[in-house]
Amino acid sequence: LMRYDGRKFASAVTAFLLAAILAANARAAPRDNLLDGAVGRIEFNSYFPRGQSSFLAREHLRQPPIIVSGVLSLPAGSTLSKDGKVPTVVIMHGSGGVSGGPEHAWARRLNSWGIAAFVLDSFTGRGVRPPNYADGNYVHSVAHVLDAYISLQLLASHPAIDGARVAVMGFSKGGEASLNAVFEPFRLAALGVSAANRFAAYVPLYPYCNFRHVSRSLAVAPMLMLLAGRDEMTEPKPCQNEASWLRERGFPVKVVVYPDAHHGFDRLGGLRFDKDYVGIRTCEAEMDLDTRQIRRLDTGASLATKAANDAWVAECRKRGAHFGGDARARDAAIVEVRAFLEDVFRR
């Protein structure tokens, strides 16, 4: 019979537990590539830029990184596959965060069309509890742009994903980020001058366009912009103005407005009123990313100082808005998105 040695047993247990902890830590480490073909929850390093100017100067790189995550799902099969690789869409949530509803519903649709989906969560890793409105609890849209571009670079390393066919699609605040991703200064701020990664298409749904950007340098690719005609949160007119500005510079943009729909028309839930919503009504302003100048578009007045910007916000602020699903608009949007992506990804 073997003699029981308590010290050896305790030592063996300790070694086993230590190995298990080290293995768990290794699995939980943020990813810098997906060469192993990982799917499901993916964690990676990002940062927390606080505004456009600091982001453009890449000041976020002086901070310690934070861990951001997303959920990657691959299609079971795909007629859009090329050389064994499928196209992908990065899905970006709005001010309510990843709700478990709309974002993953779109991911399932994309998978059924033969397209991979990466549902990005820009809030949890930053300790943000939705809703993420303009008062206090706030993540600047450039942080979402940064996450999107890091995701693009990460996804391009996956053996099943075609890095040249990755689109970005977002809703509300995520739609704003999808729109802002077209500006080359933001792409370079996110990835650096040596990075070649670019999105193959942009799909913003009901984005915020009252404060927008301009630049001489654009990361040109097809865009489908879907807007709600009765949107009280992110009014459609400023986005139509932005689309016109892009078209004048040769950017291919298709705009579809669903006249009777409200903000969040692709959701399953019905229309409701959010009394706590804080936004901007009617007023429009822009920042030139090349000169860093900010101005009102109605008067041309500079918004270079915090006082001027705060006065503009106070003048234009609104509270409370309706939002919710609209079956007719949702079904029409699904058809539009599928046709658009299949056209882009078959090229």
Side-chain angles (χ1 to χ4, degrees), residues 174-219:
E176 179 186 1
S178 303
L179 195 53
N180 286 338
V182 308
F183 295 103
E184 187 71 0
F186 281 156
R187 188 187 74 85
L188 297 177
L191 300 181
V193 296
S194 62
N197 304 79
R198 285 178 168 81
F199 284 112
Y202 310 92
V203 188
L205 279 74
Y206 40 91
Y208 172 71
C209 301
N210 293 74
F211 186 99
R212 51 188 184 268
H213 303 90
V214 295
S215 173
R216 293 186 300 273
S217 184
L218 302 172

mmCIF file of all heavy atoms in Angstrom, residues 174-219:
data_model
loop_
_atom_site.group_PDB
_atom_site.id
_atom_site.type_symbol
_atom_site.label_atom_id
_atom_site.label_comp_id
_atom_site.label_asym_id
_atom_site.label_seq_id
_atom_site.Cartn_x
_atom_site.Cartn_y
_atom_site.Cartn_z
ATOM 1 N N GLY A 174 -23.622 54.863 -31.448
ATOM 2 C CA GLY A 174 -22.804 53.986 -32.282
ATOM 3 C C GLY A 174 -22.890 54.364 -33.747
ATOM 4 O O GLY A 174 -21.932 54.189 -34.514
ATOM 5 N N GLY A 175 -24.050 54.902 -34.159
ATOM 6 C CA GLY A 175 -24.175 55.408 -35.522
ATOM 7 C C GLY A 175 -23.308 56.627 -35.736
ATOM 8 O O GLY A 175 -22.710 56.808 -36.805
ATOM 9 N N GLU A 176 -23.237 57.481 -34.702
ATOM 10 C CA GLU A 176 -22.347 58.643 -34.755
ATOM 11 C C GLU A 176 -20.901 58.189 -34.939
ATOM 12 O O GLU A 176 -20.154 58.756 -35.749
ATOM 13 C CB GLU A 176 -22.489 59.456 -33.478
ATOM 14 C CG GLU A 176 -21.584 60.674 -33.401
ATOM 15 C CD GLU A 176 -21.640 61.369 -32.052
ATOM 16 O OE1 GLU A 176 -22.367 60.896 -31.146
ATOM 17 O OE2 GLU A 176 -20.940 62.390 -31.882
ATOM 18 N N ALA A 177 -20.495 57.155 -34.197
ATOM 19 C CA ALA A 177 -19.136 56.639 -34.326
ATOM 20 C C ALA A 177 -18.909 56.035 -35.712
ATOM 21 O O ALA A 177 -17.836 56.203 -36.305
ATOM 22 C CB ALA A 177 -18.865 55.601 -33.243
ATOM 23 N N SER A 178 -19.920 55.336 -36.239
ATOM 24 C CA SER A 178 -19.812 54.766 -37.585
ATOM 25 C C SER A 178 -19.631 55.859 -38.625
ATOM 26 O O SER A 178 -18.930 55.675 -39.626
ATOM 27 C CB SER A 178 -21.072 53.953 -37.913
ATOM 28 O OG SER A 178 -21.284 52.935 -36.968
ATOM 29 N N LEU A 179 -20.278 57.002 -38.394
ATOM 30 C CA LEU A 179 -20.150 58.148 -39.282
ATOM 31 C C LEU A 179 -18.788 58.811 -39.121
ATOM 32 O O LEU A 179 -18.115 59.150 -40.098
ATOM 33 C CB LEU A 179 -21.276 59.134 -38.966
ATOM 34 C CG LEU A 179 -21.597 60.243 -39.966
ATOM 35 C CD1 LEU A 179 -21.846 59.691 -41.354
ATOM 36 C CD2 LEU A 179 -22.825 61.011 -39.481
ATOM 37 N N ASN A 180 -18.337 58.987 -37.887
ATOM 38 C CA ASN A 180 -17.050 59.625 -37.639
ATOM 39 C C ASN A 180 -15.875 58.804 -38.136
ATOM 40 O O ASN A 180 -14.786 59.343 -38.391
ATOM 41 C CB ASN A 180 -16.880 59.894 -36.142
ATOM 42 C CG ASN A 180 -17.717 61.054 -35.648
ATOM 43 O OD1 ASN A 180 -18.110 61.923 -36.427
ATOM 44 N ND2 ASN A 180 -18.016 61.072 -34.359
ATOM 45 N N ALA A 181 -16.071 57.496 -38.276
ATOM 46 C CA ALA A 181 -14.984 56.630 -38.729
ATOM 47 C C ALA A 181 -14.552 56.932 -40.162
ATOM 48 O O ALA A 181 -13.483 56.488 -40.594
ATOM 49 C CB ALA A 181 -15.403 55.164 -38.607
ATOM 50 N N VAL A 182 -15.329 57.717 -40.908
ATOM 51 C CA VAL A 182 -14.973 58.025 -42.300
ATOM 52 C C VAL A 182 -13.819 59.031 -42.374
ATOM 53 O O VAL A 182 -13.226 59.205 -43.451
ATOM 54 C CB VAL A 182 -16.175 58.583 -43.098
ATOM 55 C CG1 VAL A 182 -17.374 57.666 -42.969
ATOM 56 C CG2 VAL A 182 -16.529 59.998 -42.677
ATOM 57 N N PHE A 183 -13.494 59.671 -41.264
ATOM 58 C CA PHE A 183 -12.472 60.715 -41.307
ATOM 59 C C PHE A 183 -11.087 60.134 -41.075
ATOM 60 O O PHE A 183 -10.813 59.529 -40.043
ATOM 61 C CB PHE A 183 -12.794 61.813 -40.292
ATOM 62 C CG PHE A 183 -14.057 62.557 -40.623
ATOM 63 C CD1 PHE A 183 -15.233 62.303 -39.935
ATOM 64 C CD2 PHE A 183 -14.074 63.481 -41.660
ATOM 65 C CE1 PHE A 183 -16.403 62.968 -40.260
ATOM 66 C CE2 PHE A 183 -15.240 64.153 -41.998
ATOM 67 C CZ PHE A 183 -16.411 63.896 -41.300
ATOM 68 N N GLU A 184 -10.238 60.336 -42.052
ATOM 69 C CA GLU A 184 -8.893 59.783 -42.005
ATOM 70 C C GLU A 184 -8.097 60.238 -40.783
ATOM 71 O O GLU A 184 -7.350 59.435 -40.212
ATOM 72 C CB GLU A 184 -8.156 60.150 -43.301
ATOM 73 C CG GLU A 184 -6.795 59.501 -43.473
ATOM 74 C CD GLU A 184 -6.842 58.009 -43.749
ATOM 75 O OE1 GLU A 184 -7.959 57.434 -43.807
ATOM 76 O OE2 GLU A 184 -5.760 57.413 -43.893
ATOM 77 N N PRO A 185 -8.218 61.493 -40.321
ATOM 78 C CA PRO A 185 -7.497 61.867 -39.104
ATOM 79 C C PRO A 185 -7.866 60.999 -37.896
ATOM 80 O O PRO A 185 -7.004 60.699 -37.067
ATOM 81 C CB PRO A 185 -7.909 63.326 -38.883
ATOM 82 C CG PRO A 185 -8.199 63.841 -40.256
ATOM 83 C CD PRO A 185 -8.863 62.690 -40.949
ATOM 84 N N PHE A 186 -9.125 60.578 -37.802
ATOM 85 C CA PHE A 186 -9.529 59.693 -36.710
ATOM 86 C C PHE A 186 -8.929 58.298 -36.887
ATOM 87 O O PHE A 186 -8.507 57.661 -35.916
ATOM 88 C CB PHE A 186 -11.050 59.598 -36.623
ATOM 89 C CG PHE A 186 -11.711 60.774 -35.953
ATOM 90 C CD1 PHE A 186 -13.039 61.079 -36.230
ATOM 91 C CD2 PHE A 186 -11.040 61.568 -35.040
ATOM 92 C CE1 PHE A 186 -13.665 62.150 -35.610
ATOM 93 C CE2 PHE A 186 -11.658 62.644 -34.416
ATOM 94 C CZ PHE A 186 -12.980 62.934 -34.703
ATOM 95 N N ARG A 187 -8.904 57.801 -38.123
ATOM 96 C CA ARG A 187 -8.318 56.474 -38.367
ATOM 97 C C ARG A 187 -6.846 56.468 -37.979
ATOM 98 O O ARG A 187 -6.363 55.535 -37.326
ATOM 99 C CB ARG A 187 -8.479 56.084 -39.841
ATOM 100 C CG ARG A 187 -8.061 54.643 -40.144
ATOM 101 C CD ARG A 187 -8.082 54.357 -41.630
ATOM 102 N NE ARG A 187 -6.952 54.979 -42.297
ATOM 103 C CZ ARG A 187 -5.736 54.430 -42.398
ATOM 104 N NH1 ARG A 187 -5.493 53.251 -41.861
ATOM 105 N NH2 ARG A 187 -4.773 55.068 -43.021
ATOM 106 N N LEU A 188 -6.134 57.516 -38.369
ATOM 107 C CA LEU A 188 -4.706 57.601 -38.055
ATOM 108 C C LEU A 188 -4.485 57.773 -36.551
ATOM 109 O O LEU A 188 -3.512 57.247 -35.994
ATOM 110 C CB LEU A 188 -4.068 58.751 -38.826
ATOM 111 C CG LEU A 188 -4.090 58.617 -40.350
ATOM 112 C CD1 LEU A 188 -3.492 59.843 -41.002
ATOM 113 C CD2 LEU A 188 -3.357 57.367 -40.793
ATOM 114 N N ALA A 189 -5.379 58.519 -35.890
ATOM 115 C CA ALA A 189 -5.262 58.672 -34.444
ATOM 116 C C ALA A 189 -5.453 57.338 -33.740
ATOM 117 O O ALA A 189 -4.813 57.056 -32.720
ATOM 118 C CB ALA A 189 -6.290 59.681 -33.939
ATOM 119 N N ALA A 190 -6.323 56.501 -34.284
ATOM 120 C CA ALA A 190 -6.606 55.208 -33.668
ATOM 121 C C ALA A 190 -5.503 54.188 -33.921
ATOM 122 O O ALA A 190 -5.102 53.453 -33.011
ATOM 123 C CB ALA A 190 -7.934 54.671 -34.185
ATOM 124 N N LEU A 191 -5.006 54.131 -35.156
ATOM 125 C CA LEU A 191 -4.118 53.036 -35.548
ATOM 126 C C LEU A 191 -2.682 53.460 -35.828
ATOM 127 O O LEU A 191 -1.792 52.599 -35.878
ATOM 128 C CB LEU A 191 -4.678 52.334 -36.800
ATOM 129 C CG LEU A 191 -6.075 51.722 -36.656
ATOM 130 C CD1 LEU A 191 -6.471 51.041 -37.958
ATOM 131 C CD2 LEU A 191 -6.136 50.742 -35.493
ATOM 132 N N GLY A 192 -2.435 54.742 -36.029
ATOM 133 C CA GLY A 192 -1.092 55.183 -36.376
ATOM 134 C C GLY A 192 -0.899 55.262 -37.882
ATOM 135 O O GLY A 192 -1.657 54.678 -38.664
ATOM 136 N N VAL A 193 0.133 55.970 -38.300
ATOM 137 C CA VAL A 193 0.327 56.250 -39.726
ATOM 138 C C VAL A 193 0.715 55.027 -40.529
ATOM 139 O O VAL A 193 0.565 54.998 -41.758
ATOM 140 C CB VAL A 193 1.387 57.362 -39.921
ATOM 141 C CG1 VAL A 193 0.912 58.672 -39.336
ATOM 142 C CG2 VAL A 193 2.725 56.957 -39.298
ATOM 143 N N SER A 194 1.226 53.998 -39.882
ATOM 144 C CA SER A 194 1.695 52.824 -40.629
ATOM 145 C C SER A 194 0.593 51.810 -40.910
ATOM 146 O O SER A 194 0.782 50.886 -41.703
ATOM 147 C CB SER A 194 2.828 52.134 -39.868
ATOM 148 O OG SER A 194 2.382 51.659 -38.608
ATOM 149 N N ALA A 195 -0.570 51.955 -40.268
ATOM 150 C CA ALA A 195 -1.642 50.974 -40.409
ATOM 151 C C ALA A 195 -2.407 51.178 -41.710
ATOM 152 O O ALA A 195 -2.776 52.303 -42.061
ATOM 153 C CB ALA A 195 -2.596 51.065 -39.229
ATOM 154 N N ALA A 196 -2.669 50.070 -42.404
ATOM 155 C CA ALA A 196 -3.388 50.136 -43.679
ATOM 156 C C ALA A 196 -4.859 49.780 -43.528
ATOM 157 O O ALA A 196 -5.623 49.941 -44.492
ATOM 158 C CB ALA A 196 -2.736 49.189 -44.687
ATOM 159 N N ASN A 197 -5.284 49.312 -42.369
ATOM 160 C CA ASN A 197 -6.651 48.823 -42.188
ATOM 161 C C ASN A 197 -7.676 49.930 -42.400
ATOM 162 O O ASN A 197 -7.564 51.012 -41.835
ATOM 163 C CB ASN A 197 -6.831 48.253 -40.784
ATOM 164 C CG ASN A 197 -5.825 47.169 -40.465
ATOM 165 O OD1 ASN A 197 -4.681 47.484 -40.150
ATOM 166 N ND2 ASN A 197 -6.229 45.924 -40.546
ATOM 167 N N ARG A 198 -8.693 49.613 -43.224
ATOM 168 C CA ARG A 198 -9.796 50.536 -43.483
ATOM 169 C C ARG A 198 -11.095 49.753 -43.525
ATOM 170 O O ARG A 198 -11.111 48.586 -43.899
ATOM 171 C CB ARG A 198 -9.604 51.272 -44.819
ATOM 172 C CG ARG A 198 -8.554 52.370 -44.785
ATOM 173 C CD ARG A 198 -8.388 53.015 -46.153
ATOM 174 N NE ARG A 198 -7.598 54.230 -46.084
ATOM 175 C CZ ARG A 198 -6.270 54.256 -46.031
ATOM 176 N NH1 ARG A 198 -5.591 53.111 -46.031
ATOM 177 N NH2 ARG A 198 -5.626 55.406 -45.959
ATOM 178 N N PHE A 199 -12.184 50.422 -43.163
ATOM 179 C CA PHE A 199 -13.488 49.783 -43.260
ATOM 180 C C PHE A 199 -13.937 49.719 -44.713
ATOM 181 O O PHE A 199 -13.701 50.643 -45.498
ATOM 182 C CB PHE A 199 -14.518 50.530 -42.419
ATOM 183 C CG PHE A 199 -14.384 50.280 -40.946
ATOM 184 C CD1 PHE A 199 -13.971 51.296 -40.089
ATOM 185 C CD2 PHE A 199 -14.664 49.031 -40.418
ATOM 186 C CE1 PHE A 199 -13.844 51.063 -38.726
ATOM 187 C CE2 PHE A 199 -14.532 48.794 -39.055
ATOM 188 C CZ PHE A 199 -14.115 49.800 -38.212
ATOM 189 N N ALA A 200 -14.634 48.633 -45.041
ATOM 190 C CA ALA A 200 -15.133 48.438 -46.394
ATOM 191 C C ALA A 200 -16.470 49.130 -46.621
ATOM 192 O O ALA A 200 -16.871 49.356 -47.771
ATOM 193 C CB ALA A 200 -15.281 46.941 -46.685
ATOM 194 N N ALA A 201 -17.166 49.476 -45.533
ATOM 195 C CA ALA A 201 -18.466 50.148 -45.646
ATOM 196 C C ALA A 201 -18.861 50.690 -44.282
ATOM 197 O O ALA A 201 -18.358 50.236 -43.241
ATOM 198 C CB ALA A 201 -19.538 49.186 -46.166
ATOM 199 N N TYR A 202 -19.796 51.660 -44.308
ATOM 200 C CA TYR A 202 -20.306 52.292 -43.087
ATOM 201 C C TYR A 202 -21.828 52.234 -43.108
ATOM 202 O O TYR A 202 -22.448 52.568 -44.130
ATOM 203 C CB TYR A 202 -19.862 53.750 -43.010
ATOM 204 C CG TYR A 202 -18.386 53.973 -43.227
ATOM 205 C CD1 TYR A 202 -17.880 54.237 -44.503
ATOM 206 C CD2 TYR A 202 -17.486 53.935 -42.163
ATOM 207 C CE1 TYR A 202 -16.521 54.455 -44.711
ATOM 208 C CE2 TYR A 202 -16.127 54.152 -42.360
ATOM 209 C CZ TYR A 202 -15.648 54.408 -43.635
ATOM 210 O OH TYR A 202 -14.313 54.622 -43.829
ATOM 211 N N VAL A 203 -22.437 51.824 -41.978
ATOM 212 C CA VAL A 203 -23.898 51.736 -41.896
ATOM 213 C C VAL A 203 -24.364 52.410 -40.598
ATOM 214 O O VAL A 203 -24.611 51.752 -39.591
ATOM 215 C CB VAL A 203 -24.387 50.275 -41.943
ATOM 216 C CG1 VAL A 203 -25.919 50.231 -42.061
ATOM 217 C CG2 VAL A 203 -23.750 49.517 -43.095
ATOM 218 N N PRO A 204 -24.487 53.737 -40.582
ATOM 219 C CA PRO A 204 -25.028 54.426 -39.402
ATOM 220 C C PRO A 204 -26.556 54.454 -39.424
ATOM 221 O O PRO A 204 -27.168 54.826 -40.425
ATOM 222 C CB PRO A 204 -24.442 55.835 -39.525
ATOM 223 C CG PRO A 204 -24.218 56.024 -40.994
ATOM 224 C CD PRO A 204 -23.963 54.673 -41.586
ATOM 225 N N LEU A 205 -27.166 54.042 -38.318
ATOM 226 C CA LEU A 205 -28.612 54.137 -38.149
ATOM 227 C C LEU A 205 -28.906 55.236 -37.126
ATOM 228 O O LEU A 205 -28.327 55.252 -36.045
ATOM 229 C CB LEU A 205 -29.208 52.820 -37.649
ATOM 230 C CG LEU A 205 -29.464 51.727 -38.698
ATOM 231 C CD1 LEU A 205 -28.155 51.088 -39.140
ATOM 232 C CD2 LEU A 205 -30.425 50.664 -38.143
ATOM 233 N N TYR A 206 -29.793 56.136 -37.487
ATOM 234 C CA TYR A 206 -30.211 57.288 -36.684
ATOM 235 C C TYR A 206 -29.076 57.858 -35.830
ATOM 236 O O TYR A 206 -29.179 57.956 -34.611
ATOM 237 C CB TYR A 206 -31.450 56.957 -35.821
ATOM 238 C CG TYR A 206 -31.470 55.579 -35.178
ATOM 239 C CD1 TYR A 206 -30.954 55.360 -33.900
ATOM 240 C CD2 TYR A 206 -32.036 54.495 -35.841
ATOM 241 C CE1 TYR A 206 -30.985 54.116 -33.298
ATOM 242 C CE2 TYR A 206 -32.065 53.228 -35.251
ATOM 243 C CZ TYR A 206 -31.537 53.057 -33.985
ATOM 244 O OH TYR A 206 -31.569 51.814 -33.397
ATOM 245 N N PRO A 207 -27.963 58.278 -36.477
ATOM 246 C CA PRO A 207 -26.826 58.829 -35.725
ATOM 247 C C PRO A 207 -27.091 60.259 -35.261
ATOM 248 O O PRO A 207 -28.008 60.930 -35.735
ATOM 249 C CB PRO A 207 -25.699 58.809 -36.749
ATOM 250 C CG PRO A 207 -26.398 58.989 -38.066
ATOM 251 C CD PRO A 207 -27.701 58.237 -37.924
ATOM 252 N N TYR A 208 -26.244 60.714 -34.344
ATOM 253 C CA TYR A 208 -26.271 62.104 -33.886
ATOM 254 C C TYR A 208 -25.391 62.917 -34.826
ATOM 255 O O TYR A 208 -24.203 62.635 -34.979
ATOM 256 C CB TYR A 208 -25.744 62.180 -32.454
ATOM 257 C CG TYR A 208 -25.549 63.589 -31.932
ATOM 258 C CD1 TYR A 208 -26.634 64.402 -31.641
ATOM 259 C CD2 TYR A 208 -24.265 64.096 -31.728
ATOM 260 C CE1 TYR A 208 -26.456 65.687 -31.151
ATOM 261 C CE2 TYR A 208 -24.079 65.376 -31.227
ATOM 262 C CZ TYR A 208 -25.170 66.164 -30.944
ATOM 263 O OH TYR A 208 -24.985 67.437 -30.466
ATOM 264 N N CYS A 209 -25.966 63.929 -35.472
ATOM 265 C CA CYS A 209 -25.227 64.712 -36.459
ATOM 266 C C CYS A 209 -25.245 66.216 -36.169
ATOM 267 O O CYS A 209 -24.711 66.988 -36.970
ATOM 268 C CB CYS A 209 -25.801 64.479 -37.861
ATOM 269 S SG CYS A 209 -25.778 62.777 -38.424
ATOM 270 N N ASN A 210 -25.844 66.645 -35.075
ATOM 271 C CA ASN A 210 -25.902 68.085 -34.795
ATOM 272 C C ASN A 210 -24.517 68.680 -34.602
ATOM 273 O O ASN A 210 -24.256 69.811 -35.001
ATOM 274 C CB ASN A 210 -26.762 68.349 -33.562
ATOM 275 C CG ASN A 210 -28.218 68.007 -33.779
ATOM 276 O OD1 ASN A 210 -28.559 66.831 -33.814
ATOM 277 N ND2 ASN A 210 -29.066 69.009 -33.938
ATOM 278 N N PHE A 211 -23.624 67.926 -33.959
ATOM 279 C CA PHE A 211 -22.206 68.305 -33.896
ATOM 280 C C PHE A 211 -21.454 67.301 -34.756
ATOM 281 O O PHE A 211 -21.468 66.102 -34.493
ATOM 282 C CB PHE A 211 -21.684 68.268 -32.460
ATOM 283 C CG PHE A 211 -20.272 68.802 -32.346
ATOM 284 C CD1 PHE A 211 -20.055 70.100 -31.928
ATOM 285 C CD2 PHE A 211 -19.178 68.022 -32.675
ATOM 286 C CE1 PHE A 211 -18.763 70.616 -31.834
ATOM 287 C CE2 PHE A 211 -17.887 68.521 -32.586
ATOM 288 C CZ PHE A 211 -17.681 69.818 -32.158
ATOM 289 N N ARG A 212 -20.831 67.811 -35.820
ATOM 290 C CA ARG A 212 -20.176 66.892 -36.739
ATOM 291 C C ARG A 212 -18.791 67.399 -37.112
ATOM 292 O O ARG A 212 -18.314 68.390 -36.574
ATOM 293 C CB ARG A 212 -21.034 66.658 -37.974
ATOM 294 C CG ARG A 212 -21.536 67.901 -38.687
ATOM 295 C CD ARG A 212 -22.533 67.492 -39.768
ATOM 296 N NE ARG A 212 -22.990 68.608 -40.572
ATOM 297 C CZ ARG A 212 -24.064 69.314 -40.308
ATOM 298 N NH1 ARG A 212 -24.799 69.042 -39.247
ATOM 299 N NH2 ARG A 212 -24.427 70.306 -41.098
ATOM 300 N N HIS A 213 -18.149 66.697 -38.042
ATOM 301 C CA HIS A 213 -16.759 66.971 -38.370
ATOM 302 C C HIS A 213 -16.584 67.155 -39.872
ATOM 303 O O HIS A 213 -17.392 66.687 -40.674
ATOM 304 C CB HIS A 213 -15.872 65.825 -37.880
ATOM 305 C CG HIS A 213 -16.000 65.560 -36.419
ATOM 306 N ND1 HIS A 213 -16.928 64.671 -35.899
ATOM 307 C CD2 HIS A 213 -15.343 66.093 -35.352
ATOM 308 C CE1 HIS A 213 -16.824 64.664 -34.579
ATOM 309 N NE2 HIS A 213 -15.884 65.510 -34.225
ATOM 310 N N VAL A 214 -15.499 67.830 -40.225
ATOM 311 C CA VAL A 214 -15.093 67.958 -41.619
ATOM 312 C C VAL A 214 -13.585 67.745 -41.679
ATOM 313 O O VAL A 214 -12.871 67.926 -40.694
ATOM 314 C CB VAL A 214 -15.457 69.337 -42.219
ATOM 315 C CG1 VAL A 214 -16.970 69.519 -42.268
ATOM 316 C CG2 VAL A 214 -14.805 70.473 -41.436
ATOM 317 N N SER A 215 -13.120 67.343 -42.852
ATOM 318 C CA SER A 215 -11.690 67.159 -43.089
ATOM 319 C C SER A 215 -11.468 67.036 -44.586
ATOM 320 O O SER A 215 -12.350 66.593 -45.330
ATOM 321 C CB SER A 215 -11.175 65.901 -42.380
ATOM 322 O OG SER A 215 -9.830 65.630 -42.739
ATOM 323 N N ARG A 216 -10.273 67.400 -45.006
ATOM 324 C CA ARG A 216 -9.930 67.217 -46.418
ATOM 325 C C ARG A 216 -9.659 65.753 -46.733
ATOM 326 O O ARG A 216 -9.682 65.356 -47.893
ATOM 327 C CB ARG A 216 -8.685 68.048 -46.766
ATOM 328 C CG ARG A 216 -8.884 69.544 -46.718
ATOM 329 C CD ARG A 216 -7.649 70.286 -47.216
ATOM 330 N NE ARG A 216 -6.479 69.967 -46.400
ATOM 331 C CZ ARG A 216 -6.146 70.611 -45.274
ATOM 332 N NH1 ARG A 216 -6.935 71.577 -44.816
ATOM 333 N NH2 ARG A 216 -5.073 70.279 -44.606
ATOM 334 N N SER A 217 -9.398 64.945 -45.712
ATOM 335 C CA SER A 217 -8.984 63.556 -45.918
ATOM 336 C C SER A 217 -10.046 62.603 -45.384
ATOM 337 O O SER A 217 -10.379 62.636 -44.189
ATOM 338 C CB SER A 217 -7.649 63.302 -45.211
ATOM 339 O OG SER A 217 -7.177 62.009 -45.462
ATOM 340 N N LEU A 218 -10.586 61.784 -46.275
ATOM 341 C CA LEU A 218 -11.660 60.869 -45.929
ATOM 342 C C LEU A 218 -11.254 59.426 -46.224
ATOM 343 O O LEU A 218 -10.577 59.160 -47.220
ATOM 344 C CB LEU A 218 -12.927 61.203 -46.715
ATOM 345 C CG LEU A 218 -13.490 62.616 -46.540
ATOM 346 C CD1 LEU A 218 -14.634 62.853 -47.523
ATOM 347 C CD2 LEU A 218 -13.961 62.833 -45.119
ATOM 348 N N ALA A 219 -11.675 58.511 -45.369
ATOM 349 C CA ALA A 219 -11.472 57.072 -45.583
ATOM 350 C C ALA A 219 -12.673 56.578 -46.389
ATOM 351 O O ALA A 219 -13.660 56.080 -45.843
ATOM 352 C CB ALA A 219 -11.354 56.349 -44.249
#
